[in-house]
Amino acid sequence: MTKRSAMKTITLGEREIREAVTMSEAIDAVRRGFADLAGGAFEMPTRTALRDGQFLVMAAHHRPTASAMIKTLSVNFARRPAIAGTVTWTETGRPDHLVADAAPVTALRTGAAVGVATDLLAAPEAGRLTLIGAGAQAPDQVRAVHTVRPLSRLTVVDADPRRARDLVETLAPELAEVELCTADDPESAVRDAEIVCCATNATSPLFPESALPAQVHVNAIGAYRPTMRELPDELLAGSTVVVDELDAVLEESGEIIHALESGALTREALTELGTALTAASPEYGKRTVFKTVGVAVQDWALARLLAEKFLH
């Protein structure tokens, strides 16, 4: 009689995920994932979006490890948390698998991608961050940037000033040496920023290109549907633009689609993050933009990290 190993399923909630994974670990894992993506190690279809992005399904298979991740989630900005769903991890040849809460995984992996891009593209001494949007993704945006570029000042802007103040109070214990403030107007808040993070569900640009300093790095994570936009065409036209994955942004990023249609940007001007990681260092003294809609390799990287800690 053939013996079968008992299947083990590990289910992780937010507390277990947060206690197990540091932002530094998440950034390193996502960096390796993007490098593998550039090297052709992944089978990764463009995600399925249903009901105009209210339901999303993402999958990635990593050939070298015969491992796969599937994430299913619903998105509703009228509720808290806005994201609900699961991330499932499995490996060929192993009966064990892992199921994790998608909300903290998504926040961590989105922050981690911004950390990877900021580490690559922001000036080495950059320390003044303006964050636009104080929702669920915001804390990990700050943590990721602070991990790779220790902050001297954080300015938070939100349509609801109370949310901006609440976020600053929440992060204060983690940012003891950082000047913390809020602002009412995105345009004035970015004028002397060295790094800008946009994490909103805006449908039109948050600020004009002219409001930005000559040298700045901008991360845009909020717009993940063609109807959404955070950045103006003029900024994209005059910046080095790095994206998470070309096919994904061409299908889903309102900023990229609009800039291409207006002629402000060409496809040839877009560089994928995995490719940029192996290219020559960027020229500092210019504007740089990282546009991400979120791709499955990021979730795979976090899920693998969790699997290494809980299954192996």
Side-chain angles (χ1 to χ4, degrees), residues 42-122:
F42 280 96
E43 185 179 0
M44 189 180 74
T46 302
R47 70 176 158 209
T48 300
L50 307 172
R51 197 177 173 86
D52 193 28
Q54 292 184 37
F55 299 98
L56 302 172
V57 181
M58 305 170 69
H61 163 230
H62 187 242
R63 297 184 182 92
T65 57
S67 60
M69 181 287 312
I70 297 176
K71 180 167 80 169
T72 59
L73 54 78
S74 64
V75 182
N76 183 346
F77 293 112
R79 74 177 180 214
R80 294 291 179 267
I83 291 174
T86 58
V87 172
T88 303
W89 164 273
T90 187
E91 294 178 63
T92 298
R94 289 181 59 92
D96 305 341
H97 63 281
L98 180 145
V99 180
D101 184 347
V105 169
T106 301
L108 270 167
R109 62 80 142 152
T110 306
V114 161
V116 173
T118 301
D119 194 28
L120 178 69
L121 299 170

Side-chain angles (χ1 to χ4, degrees), residues 77 200-204 222-230 253-255:
F77 293 112
T200 74
N201 59 354
T203 56
S204 59
Y224 68 99
R225 300 300 298 148
T227 53
M228 303 169 76
R229 255 177 99 202
E230 293 182 301
S253 168
E255 291 100 340

Side-chain angles (χ1 to χ4, degrees), residues 242-299:
V242 174
V243 300
D244 48 10
E245 202 260 339
L246 187 58
D247 289 344
V249 297
L250 291 177
E251 183 167 319
E252 298 182 334
S253 168
E255 291 100 340
I256 300 299
I257 293 169
H258 191 279
L260 288 171
E261 289 177 348
S262 72
L265 198 61
T266 64
R267 288 180 55 153
E268 292 71 29
L270 303 173
T271 303
E272 292 186 335
L273 181 57
T275 301
L277 287 169
T278 60
S281 297
E283 265 185 70
Y284 298 115
K286 297 176 59 177
R287 290 174 175 171
T288 54
V289 171
F290 174 56
K291 174 58 203 170
T292 173
V293 293
V295 290
V297 64
Q298 297 164 244
D299 301 289

